[in-house]
Amino acid sequence: MKLIYLSFLFFIVSCFSIQSQEIERLKKELTTIKTDTTKVWHYRDLAYYYQSKNLDSAIYFGYEGYYLAKAINFKSGQIGSLYQVALAYDFKDKLDSAIVIYDKAIEIAKSSRDTTNLAKLLNAKGTSHYFSGNYLEALTYFNNGLDYSERINYQEGFAHSLNNIAVIYRMQRRYEMALEVYEKSLDIKIKQKDTTGIINSYYNMGLSYSHLNQYSESLQYLLKAKNLSEYHSDSKLAIANIDVGIGIAYYNLENFSEAIDYLNKGFQSTEGESYDKIIAKAYLGAIYVKNGNIAEGLIYIEEAYNQSVLSGRRDLHRSVLRERAIAYEKANNNSKASESWKAYAIISDSINYEARQWAIEELQARFELKDKETTISLQQLKLEKETNQKRWYLIFGIFIAVALVIISLFLQKILIQRKQLFFQISEKVEALNLNKLLLREMHHRTKNNLQLINSILNLQSRNVDNPEVQKSLESSRDSVSAIGLLHNQLYNSREFNLVDFKAYVNDLCAYFTKAFSLQERNISLACSCDDFKIDIDKAIPLGLILNETITNAIKHAFVDSKQGDIHLTIKNQNQKICLEVQDNGIGFNTNSLPSGNKGTGTKLIAIFSKKFKAEVSYLNTKPGTLFKFCFQL
């Protein structure tokens, strides 16, 4: 059951062929995209394409899209990116994590009144609850998704919700209710001309009728699914599963020649020890016994019996036990037959009890929901009553105010003056808000201009053959990126002259991790920074120092090492800032101390150390290097 349901869920992310060149195209375009919203969709699409290739990459790109969308307050982008992250956690069987992510996306969809995405997310969260075994919660979310889809006439979501609800009913062995839902879903799939959906509905209806012992109806729908599957070769449901279902229907209709033909087809086409292969083996054994070939039949049945025990599927084990008991009665082995019938009765009682408990729990849930609806209705009536009272109070207050104005004409001049003062204050507030807006726009444009310069430097470095020039251009590009991150911080802040340095350091470390592909190079970059704010004039030099020291460590510290660690620590103690960058690389010897290096980065550090009157030191920690830069604010 889980495999069939998962195949339908996986269809969401595998409806188009996923190719490596498509992923590479999206990655290349990321470096040239100018608008943040387009970049968000590229991250979302990368996560989408990675779902069937690398789930960790899908999670990574999904989060990249979410954080960028959150930074620009792009709600649809946040929802789409989080959906891909949660879907990847679903496929990794990390269902608790998936549910948390779905909740976050649902909250955003509700706040932005995005009802279409809300319906999708409710269904997806219900699916996570389903796979975790919490059928009651799953049913609640599927019903909510159904209500939203019906409210906005979202047919695809409506059909999806119906299928999900029907699966729950089948798991709870409430097959009449499952059939009602499948019939509604089938009508929608026929209107949509969704061949795969029609085949799934026919197949599921056939199984439901089989569980109700209505084998003629079961055979009718399974044959429809079979014929449609053979006609449409791209159907998502394996024909082998349908063959087994048809064979069981023919068996129960006592058409053993047709039954053995279809059961053999399904048995031979099914890989591994799946539910269908085990049940096919049991019914084939039963047919052999009925045809007088008892020894061979019992071999099949015993194999199916042992495999059903290992499968953990009680419904499968019960079906095999029934055929085993009948076969041993035919073989005159009363002890084995009695043993099988007893086990069959115990499992049947357990399954029936479980079905009753599910029904009781659903009734309790419906009662609680009805009670909550009644409480909400009473609260609404109370609110309406209070609103009416306030309305009358307002009318009475206006009447009193008018009377006071008429009686107190001499206050008119004061009211006019207050009104004029109000307008003056409003104009000043508007001018102040305009200045804030202009400052924010200035930082935004500065960030965009720096991104443009970064792209130009990147292009120049690719077109230069001289390694030294190329190295200088790449260093300049990283410095520009470090300054650009500062302006991005200011753009997202309410204070336009102070930088949240902790957030900036986290962004900078994320940039280094991505820009230098640290994960692929097995280099770990750990960042720790005290929570403080600093003036932009001091933040820019510090950002350049961080850029220089960390890039030096990345490029030079791990030449002969397969794995490296870099630790960045920034502390603010009594207004004294101490910056430390430590790696476990090859270190340096006394003849190549940084003080003797005349590179641009070293000169910058020397200039800034004089400007801040800072204490600068390089220590050989064996292994690695420790760089310290301390100054008093």
Side-chain angles (χ1 to χ4, degrees), residues 149-213:
S149 299
E150 188 175 23
R151 203 179 303 168
I152 61 176
N153 197 27
Y154 175 39
Q155 291 297 307
E156 184 180 352
F158 189 74
H160 190 190
S161 299
L162 287 172
N163 279 331
N164 292 338
I165 292 169
V167 169
I168 296 292
Y169 285 148
R170 275 182 55 195
M171 291 299 297
Q172 294 179 338
R173 302 170 187 88
R174 299 157 74 184
Y175 301 110
E176 294 92 345
M177 299 179 70
L179 279 168
E180 291 178 10
V181 177
Y182 280 132
E183 286 175 359
K184 292 179 183 178
S185 176
L186 178 61
D187 291 339
I188 296 172
K189 294 300 180 184
I190 291 173
K191 290 177 183 176
Q192 294 176 335
K193 298 180 179 179
D194 179 2
T195 304
T196 301
I198 295 170
I199 294 170
N200 272 299
S201 296
Y202 282 152
Y203 175 73
N204 288 321
M205 291 175 73
L207 291 184
S208 298
Y209 276 119
S210 178
H211 287 298
L212 290 170
N213 298 327

Side-chain angles (χ1 to χ4, degrees), residues 551-588:
T551 53
N552 276 343
I554 292 170
K555 292 178 179 178
H556 305 299
F558 308 111
V559 175
D560 300 323
S561 176
K562 294 182 179 179
Q563 183 173 1
D565 295 314
I566 302 173
H567 295 276
L568 167 62
T569 306
I570 302 174
K571 295 182 179 179
N572 180 7
Q573 296 179 343
N574 299 324
Q575 293 297 299
K576 184 176 182 179
I577 306 297
C578 276
L579 182 154
E580 295 182 4
V581 178
Q582 184 170 12
D583 63 70
N584 64 345
I586 61 175
F588 59 86

Side-chain angles (χ1 to χ4, degrees), residues 489 499-507 509 526-534 542 546 568-580 629-631 633:
Q489 281 289 329
V499 177
D500 183 349
F501 206 66
K502 181 177 182 179
Y504 168 65
V505 168
N506 289 334
D507 288 347
C509 290
C527 300
S528 173
C529 181
D530 288 347
D531 197 356
F532 64 91
K533 293 183 179 181
I534 191 168
L542 287 178
L546 285 174
L568 167 62
T569 306
I570 302 174
K571 295 182 179 179
N572 180 7
Q573 296 179 343
N574 299 324
Q575 293 297 299
K576 184 176 182 179
I577 306 297
C578 276
L579 182 154
E580 295 182 4
F629 187 96
C630 299
F631 67 97
L633 282 177

Side-chain angles (χ1 to χ4, degrees), residues 51-68:
Q51 294 289 355
S52 63
K53 293 177 72 68
N54 188 319
L55 294 174
D56 289 330
S57 295
I59 292 170
Y60 169 77
F61 284 110
Y63 270 127
E64 287 289 303
Y66 165 68
Y67 288 127
L68 179 56

Side-chain angles (χ1 to χ4, degrees), residues 68-87:
L68 179 56
K70 185 178 180 182
I72 61 176
N73 197 27
F74 181 28
K75 301 290 187 182
S76 296
Q78 293 180 53
I79 295 169
S81 299
L82 285 176
Y83 177 76
Q84 294 299 327
V85 173
L87 202 60

Side-chain angles (χ1 to χ4, degrees), residues 1-2 275 308-318:
M1 178 67 69
K2 182 173 179 179
Y275 175 94
S308 69
V309 172
L310 295 174
S311 72
R313 292 285 301 270
R314 290 185 299 163
D315 51 345
L316 171 63
H317 191 51
R318 179 175 65 168

